[in-house]
Structures are given as C-alpha cells and as structure tokens.
Amino acid sequence: GQAQIGVTGLAVMGRNLARNLARHGHVVAVHNRTAARTRQLVEEFGHEGEFVPAESAADFVASLRRPRRLVIMVKAGAATDAVIEEFAPLLESGDVIVDGGNAHFEDTRRREAALRERGLHFVGCGISGGEEGALNGPSIMPGGSAESYRSLGPLLESIAARVDGEPCCTHIGPDGAGHFVKMVHNGIEYADMQLIAEAYDLLRRVAGYEPGRIAEVFRTWNRGRLDSYLIEITAEVLGHTDAATGRPFVDVVADAAEQKGTGRWTVQTALDLGVPVSGIAEAVFARSLSGHGALREAAQQLPGPVRPELHPDDAAQFADQVEAALYASKIVAYAQGWHQITAGSAEYGWDIDPGAVAAIWRGGCIIRARFLDEIRAAYAGGKPPVTLLTDPTFREALERAQNAWRHVVATAAQLGVPAPGFSAALAYYDALRAERLPAALVQGQRDYFGAHTYRRTDREGSFHTLWGQDRSEVEA
Ligand code: NBP
C-alpha cells in the first residue's frame, strides 16, 4: 500500500479531514460504509490531492503503508465499536487506529485496553472546530501511547490550525486523555456561551439596547481582552436580520437551546471526580431549563420586580460593568475547567501538561481566544498555580473587575433578570476566598441526624456529640 493515512467514515467531518490531509500532500486512503460517499468525495475533490478510494475494508487496509494509520470518523458509540471490530482483525501489530469522533473517554479507555491486548495502538483523538475546522485546520487532542504519537503526530500536526507558527496539536497523554480534554473543552464552551448570552440579556433588558447596538458593543469588546471566536460570532448573530420578517434574527429563533451531550458528560465526570465546575453545570442547566416549555408556561404568572429603565448615561456605564463581569466570570469558568483537567490527569495518571492544552486551544477550536495565551503563561512557570484564580495576572484582573461584577450580579437579581453563570462564578470566587464556610454547620447537621462525626479546628481526631443525650462529646 502507498497511502500514508486512511480515513473511514466520510460524512462532513471525515470528508473534510481527508481533504485537509490530501491538501497537505499526504496520500489518503478513503472508505465509507456506503460506497457512494467515497465515490462522491473523489469526484468532487479528487483534484485537491491524492486519494486512494476503497470500497471494501480489505482493499482499504491493503492500500495503507505500514505501520498503518487509520482514522475512524463515524457516529460516536455503537458505530465506532462496529467499525473497530471490522478493521482490527485485518490489521497487524504496531498499526494505529485513531478515533476522531466525539467518544466518551471511558469508552476510549476500554477500547484502548482491548486493542493493546491485540498488539494495536488505539488513539482516542479529540478534534474541535466543526466541519470548517476539519477542513482548514482544527485543534487536535490525541491520546494514546507515546509510541503511536511518534508515528501519527507529524501527520496530525501538519493539518492542525497554527498560531504563531505552532501547530494546535500535541500529545495529551495515554488512553482516554485526548477525549477527556476534548470533553472539558466542550464543557468550557458551554460555560462561555452561557456567560456571553447572559451579557446580551443584561444589555438588552437592563440597559435597554437593541440587538444591533449590542452587536456593536460585542465588536468593541472583541478588540480588547475578550477577543475570541465566540464573541466574534455572537456579534454576527446579533447583527443579523431575519429576511422573512425584517426583525432581528435573535427575536425569531425559538428560545430553547439544545445539546448533544458533551457538556452533560463534563458535569457528570466532574461530579465523579468531586470537582466543582459550577459554571459549566449552570450552563448545562440553563439549556435544560430553556427547553421545559410547559414549566416555563406555567411560571409566566409568577410575580417579578418592577423594572425601571436605566438612564442612557447609566446604560453606557452598565455596559462597561457587564464587560468586566463577563471577563471575571470567564476566568472562573476556565479555572474550573482546568481544575477538572488536572483532577482527571491525577485520577487516571495521564500527566497532562495544562499549559500545553491552553496552547493548542488558541486556534482551530470553538473557544479559541487571546485569553488562552494568559492561561498558557500561568502554567509556564516552575510551580503551577493551585488555581488559575491566584495567578498574578488573573488575580489582578479579578481585583479590578470585582466591584463591577458584584454590581452586575446584584442588579440582575434586583431586576429579576436571570444570570446563573455570572452569579455562580461570583459565588465560587467568594466561597474559595472565605476564611470560614458554613460547611461547619452542615457537618454539625450531619453529625446530629446521622452521627457522621466531625473534625475540630483545635485538635486532631474525629468527634461525635451525643445530641440525644447530654450533648457531651466523644471521640469517634
Ligand atoms: P455522523 O456522526 O453523522 O456519522 C455519519 C458517518 O458514520 C457516516 O460515514 C456513516 O456511514 C457512518 N456510520 C454510521 Br452512522 N454507522 C456506521 C456503522 N455501523 N458502520 C460504519 N459506518 C457507520 O458524522 P459527522 O457529523 O461527520 O461526525 C463524525 C464524528 O465526528 C462523530 O463522532 C461526531 O460526534 C464527531 N464530531 C463532529 C463534529 C461536527 O461538527 N459535526 C465536530 C467534532 C466532532 P454511512 O455513510 O454509510 O451512513
């Protein structure tokens, strides 16, 4: 075989990834369960590079140079297992199977272990950037063995997005590390989108701005520290007018946000790891709430506060305060995401470099932003910060933002505008800062009804108070 790499599964993602590889001068074997898609790819895009179409699995495998590198881009779940089972028996020791789909990292761990037994490398590879990214340069998060990366890495790096000449692709760590990090990327994406949506809602309902004006505000923000792909596209969406009605596009879209599940996975995994990712969780819940039509309908009758209009001068100042609240909340959401990455890395022994993750998210992916340079820098020193919040750069930003942040959250509460992302971020910030938490009382309650015991601040050991008797304290 002469193909350097093969792609099986030629729907939007696989087709674009194969074209990206071919455009970079690699000979690409292409295969799809339904052969019509393979033929269509070669007909439409064959001029872009060198494709080797195969209709059968055997021909596909035979067309690959050894050690074979085979990328699976099919629907995540059972289809991925089916495709692995189809190809694994045809492969030989040292060959590399890459799953570029959105697999759950636990599935990736299972598949990696099973294929390792059979002498095959299995690389769970997160790919972010949607169809556009797959074609023009995604952010790529490969897991799997270091050995597999030696063979695969240069190919993947050649098609990844580039920032300052560096490819947005790095070996994340063993087995499921790549898919885990991709999952957290998507969780952070949910949080970021929710925070931006809350900023829009406040500018609209408190400052009284129309969508077109808010688009302008976001364009201004995008020239500053909030510079990011998500702010950029938000301005585009808000500036768009519906052709059919002439109304702002955002006003004709049903206000029920859907989800494919990676945000939910992030939160479920965070719960298992015991990591408080409240910003991501609020974002997932906010989408969920928006879809509960009957519940929202029933609640229409509930009273809210009288909402006074802001004076136009105050509105401009309020917009600046919303920018500060958004930036501070964003720092918190990302700090939580990085906490989850480091916790996952410790739990599974992945040894993930948190700064390298920030570096490869600077381009190609949905959360790409100038901000990620700061996160990378925070981890570049000798001793990594316990939390991103205490990195000097972020600490200073939080200090400067905090009055505005508090004002925005308080205003939202007083005026009855929901801001779960902003509020949860501020609560997390204040809870971490607090010298004493009411957790002491919770532990007392637990000891009262369940004899769950407590530790004391002044002595070692576990204690229990005999609540039902004379309330004397015993050592447990
Ligand atoms: P889809 O997720 O829509 O999957 C369609 C592909 O899966 C087709 O090639 C189809 O073959 C193949 N397939 C299925 Br379905 N069942 C199969 C089976 N049992 N055996 C063999 N092939 C099977 O494609 P996509 O939207 O291109 O996404 C591919 C992967 O990339 C997914 O895991 C997705 O989550 C992930 N991803 C997508 C995006 C995005 O923006 N769309 C972004 C990042 C990651 P057929 O042609 O014969 O039906």
Side-chain angles (χ1 to χ4, degrees):
Q2 80 279 27
Q4 285 149 301
I5 191 161
V7 179
T8 182
L10 302 174
V12 289
M13 289 296 289
R15 183 182 60 205
N16 283 357
L17 206 67
R19 290 173 61 197
N20 188 351
L21 283 159
R23 287 171 170 192
H24 280 88
H26 307 297
V27 182
V28 188
V30 284
H31 171 268
N32 191 67
R33 176 179 62 179
T34 310
R37 274 200 209 268
T38 314
R39 288 195 288 271
Q40 196 192 353
L41 165 63
V42 176
E43 260 164 45
E44 277 183 54
F45 306 107
H47 60 279
E48 292 184 352
E50 207 173 326
F51 296 101
V52 184
E55 301 219 341
S56 75
D59 285 351
F60 180 59
V61 168
S63 69
L64 293 168
R65 187 184 297 171
R66 292 183 60 194
R68 300 180 184 88
R69 290 168 292 213
L70 180 165
V71 181
I72 301 174
M73 279 307 273
V74 302
K75 199 172 152 68
T80 305
D81 282 314
V83 174
I84 290 171
E85 270 325 303
E86 187 181 4
F87 286 101
L90 306 173
L91 299 175
E92 290 166 283
S93 179
D95 288 351
V96 184
I97 299 180
V98 182
D99 175 17
N102 265 337
H104 193 287
F105 76 97
E106 294 280 18
D107 286 335
T108 301
R109 283 167 57 78
R110 167 177 62 76
R111 290 169 183 147
E112 196 274 341
L115 289 167
R116 188 163 9 99
E117 291 275 298
R118 295 157 80 169
L120 300 174
H121 293 287
F122 183 72
V123 175
C125 184
I127 299 180
S128 179
E131 26 178 319
E132 204 273 336
L135 182 62
N136 296 316
S139 179
I140 309 182
M141 295 149 254
S145 66
E147 192 188 337
S148 67
Y149 195 78
R150 276 194 286 280
S151 142
L152 189 69
L155 273 165
L156 296 181
E157 288 178 17
S158 75
I159 62 159
R162 298 190 93 81
V163 175
D164 303 335
E166 291 173 58
C168 293
C169 173
T170 191
H171 181 228
I172 302 291
D175 59 80
H179 275 140
F180 181 90
V181 160
K182 171 63 176 19
M183 175 189 76
V184 178
H185 165 282
N186 287 26
I188 293 173
E189 173 188 312
Y190 274 55
D192 214 338
M193 291 168 71
Q194 174 64 21
L195 293 172
I196 293 169
E198 289 177 20
Y200 149 76
D201 206 27
L202 287 161
L203 291 177
R204 186 132 195 213
R205 295 174 60 186
V206 179
Y209 288 3
E210 288 307 309
R213 174 130 188 227
I214 302 174
E216 277 312 313
V217 171
F218 277 98
R219 282 195 190 98
T220 312
W221 290 358
N222 203 37
R223 290 194 285 273
R225 58 189 176 174
L226 284 167
D227 174 6
S228 63
Y229 173 71
L230 281 172
I231 293 282
E232 178 193 327
I233 65 158
T234 302
E236 292 299 314
V237 174
L238 285 173
H240 182 57
T241 302
D242 175 53
T245 60
R247 293 172 57 200
F249 169 78
V250 70
D251 288 348
V252 300
V253 177
D255 61 346
E258 297 174 3
Q259 44 188 322
K260 278 198 186 164
T262 41
R264 185 172 62 238
W265 287 352
T266 312
V267 177
Q268 286 169 335
T269 304
L271 291 173
D272 292 339
L273 290 168
V275 180
V277 292
S278 48
I280 300 170
E282 288 296 348
V284 173
F285 286 138
R287 289 196 194 188
S288 163
L289 184 152
S290 75
H292 280 282
L295 197 56
R296 292 176 59 192
E297 179 76 34
Q300 291 287 305
Q301 55 156 300
L302 296 174
V306 181
R307 200 177 303 128
E309 281 277 322
L310 273 194
H311 188 273
D313 297 346
D314 297 336
Q317 191 193 17
F318 185 71
D320 289 342
Q321 290 165 331
V322 171
E323 191 269 350
L326 175 54
Y327 191 67
S329 302
K330 178 170 166 136
I331 293 172
V332 169
Y334 281 64
Q336 293 177 346
W338 255 268
H339 183 190
Q340 182 162 359
I341 290 170
T342 47
S345 179
E347 171 73 18
Y348 297 101
W350 286 326
D351 198 23
I352 295 173
D353 174 353
V357 174
I360 65 162
W361 287 350
R362 292 178 305 156
C365 64
I366 305 299
I367 66 169
R368 61 184 181 262
R370 181 197 289 191
F371 182 71
L372 288 154
D373 269 326
E374 311 275 8
I375 296 182
R376 180 197 211 181
Y379 285 109
K383 195 167 178 283
V386 175
T387 164
L388 279 175
L389 303 186
T390 58
D391 167 74
T393 307
F394 292 127
R395 188 195 176 284
E396 197 200 319
L398 290 165
E399 185 176 359
R400 272 189 283 120
Q402 75 160 316
N403 286 343
W405 191 12
R406 293 182 192 288
H407 176 72
V408 167
V409 169
T411 304
Q414 273 171 344
L415 301 187
V417 179
F422 285 6
S423 314
L426 183 57
Y428 177 88
Y429 175 77
D430 283 331
L432 281 190
R433 274 186 338 101
E435 204 183 315
R436 291 278 296 162
L437 287 170
L441 178 59
V442 171
Q443 198 57 19
Q445 293 163 333
R446 296 183 72 243
D447 189 61
Y448 189 103
F449 66 69
H452 290 301
T453 76
Y454 49 89
R455 286 177 295 116
R456 294 183 57 99
T457 57
D458 53 359
R459 278 182 276 139
E460 288 294 308
S462 291
F463 302 91
H464 169 55
T465 290
L466 300 170
W467 296 102
Q469 301 165 38
D470 63 351
R471 303 202 167 183
S472 60
E473 185 175 75
V474 293
E475 188 138 12

